[in-house]
Amino acid sequence: MPNTFLSTLFLNFFIAFGVVLGGSIFGGIGSVFGGIAPMRTMIDTAENLKLWGMFAALGGTFTAMKELELGFIEGQLNSVVKQFIFILSSFMGAHLGVVTINWLSGGSGT
């Protein structure tokens, strides 16, 4: 039986990473057609997509918040800890996407 915790952890990370990386790259391509500087557009888009990458990875904010609420109300700290780890994983994936775009475009990298 596959470990659903680890698979969900990796899925959250890579979905958030992919949303930021893919959205920024395609935004940069679109800016070329619009006559705007693609590197600056990619950096700005990556920063703007960071939060949305996290939301997409978590399956929407309501699911994660509902799990946290039930965990606190019912006293299931295991569920609360798991949700925080999933949120942290999606944050790390989205942040790595921003760092990667900054690195690819010659930005600061933070």
Side-chain angles (χ1 to χ4, degrees), residues 20 46-56 94:
V20 173
E47 306 252 342
N48 291 335
L49 284 177
K50 189 174 187 179
L51 188 60
W52 291 106
M54 288 178 56
F55 290 160

Side-chain angles (χ1 to χ4, degrees), residues 52-94:
W52 291 106
M54 288 178 56
F55 290 160
L58 294 171
T61 57
F62 296 117
T63 306
M65 294 304 127
K66 188 68 172 173
E67 288 289 325
L68 284 173
E69 177 189 12
L70 288 176
F72 280 121
I73 290 174
E74 297 176 3
Q76 296 177 355
L77 292 179
N78 186 25
S79 175
V80 173
V81 170
K82 282 172 54 173
Q83 287 304 313
F84 277 127
I85 292 172
F86 291 152
I87 291 169
L88 182 64
S89 173
S90 64
F91 171 77
M92 288 171 36

Side-chain angles (χ1 to χ4, degrees), residues 1-11 82:
M1 179 158 92
N3 190 342
T4 58
F5 175 77
L6 278 180
S7 61
T8 303
L9 194 70
F10 286 121
L11 276 174
K82 282 172 54 173

